[in-house]
Amino acid sequence: MVELLLLAAALSADNFAVSIGYGSSNTRISSGMTALLNVFCSAALVASTQFGKNFLQFAEPEWGTRVGAGCFFLMGSLKILEELKKRRRKKQGRKEEKQKNSEKELRPLEFCLLAVSMSVDGMISGVFASDLAVTGGQIFFASFAVGMAAMYAGYDIGKRTRQKNGGMGDLFGGVLFYLLAVLKLT
């Protein structure tokens, strides 16, 4: 059981970092979306523990890191573009469309990229965790619970970071996503 919790914690490291990025850019991930993301990740992990060995006969494990890195790179680009648009509007003297303290919602494209990048990690890890002496239900519950906790904690830290960095959260979040993409490839 300790191995399972360590696996869930390792998989949730990206969830944590991503949530810091979104919290710092004042982008809210609703409770429903947070739960749905973690359902996708947990289901991918369970499926790959059950069928992963067969999957590896057809695909190399590196495909997952490339897909995950690509998603994080696109997410970082979206955040940096948001920051550049905001600066251009400010420079032109246009008012912000929303109040400064109001939260933005996670867009469908970002949700999809996030779901893919997080689920790919679960798929790859599950292949190598298929020898653990635990049931699919235990894997799902551990992954889901730890993932939810990681996302809420990361979002809270991100919000605090935003308050301290003077509102440059989109830039900070974008750089954080680029860093995650690079770390995936190394």
Side-chain angles (χ1 to χ4, degrees):
M1 193 55 103
V2 172
E3 294 161 330
L4 175 60
L5 290 175
L6 289 174
L7 172 66
L11 286 174
S12 296
D14 284 349
N15 299 25
F16 180 71
V18 162
S19 297
I20 291 173
Y22 280 117
S24 69
S25 65
N26 206 29
T27 303
R28 187 174 77 85
I29 305 174
S30 70
S31 298
M33 282 188 160
T34 301
L36 191 57
L37 284 169
N38 281 289
V39 164
F40 287 155
C41 296
S42 300
L45 178 60
V46 170
S48 72
T49 59
Q50 304 299 315
F51 309 109
K53 300 274 186 198
N54 296 333
F55 177 73
L56 273 185
Q57 294 173 355
F58 303 105
E60 294 293 320
E62 291 81 28
W63 76 269
T65 56
R66 291 183 189 123
V67 168
C71 288
F72 284 134
F73 181 79
L74 288 172
M75 291 161 59
S77 297
L78 288 171
K79 287 293 162 202
I80 289 175
L81 284 173
E82 272 183 46
E83 182 69 27
L84 293 174
K85 282 183 197 177
K86 188 169 42 173
R87 287 181 183 195
R88 184 180 329 135
R89 281 191 304 267
K90 194 174 194 177
K91 191 175 184 180
Q92 293 173 346
R94 289 195 268 166
K95 293 182 179 179
E96 286 291 314
E97 298 162 3
K98 295 182 179 182
Q99 293 178 358
K100 189 174 185 176
N101 292 331
S102 68
E103 292 180 314
K104 298 173 275 191
E105 291 288 327
L106 186 67
R107 288 185 244 143
L109 174 62
E110 290 177 289
F111 176 82
C112 291
L113 290 171
L114 188 55
V116 168
S117 65
M118 290 168 51
S119 296
V120 164
D121 276 352
M123 289 172 65
I124 301 237
S125 299
V127 170
F128 301 106
S130 61
D131 296 330
L132 291 177
V134 291
T135 67
Q138 290 170 321
I139 293 170
F140 185 89
F141 179 75
S143 174
F144 182 81
V146 173
M148 291 290 287
M151 288 187 77
Y152 282 121
Y155 184 76
D156 187 53
I157 290 170
K159 295 277 297 179
R160 291 179 191 177
T161 302
R162 178 176 178 75
Q163 293 166 353
K164 290 182 181 180
N165 71 15
M168 292 183 40
D170 287 325
L171 181 63
F172 177 77
V175 170
L176 183 60
F177 290 137
Y178 280 156
L179 180 62
L180 283 169
V182 169
L183 290 175
K184 286 259 177 235
L185 294 173
T186 58

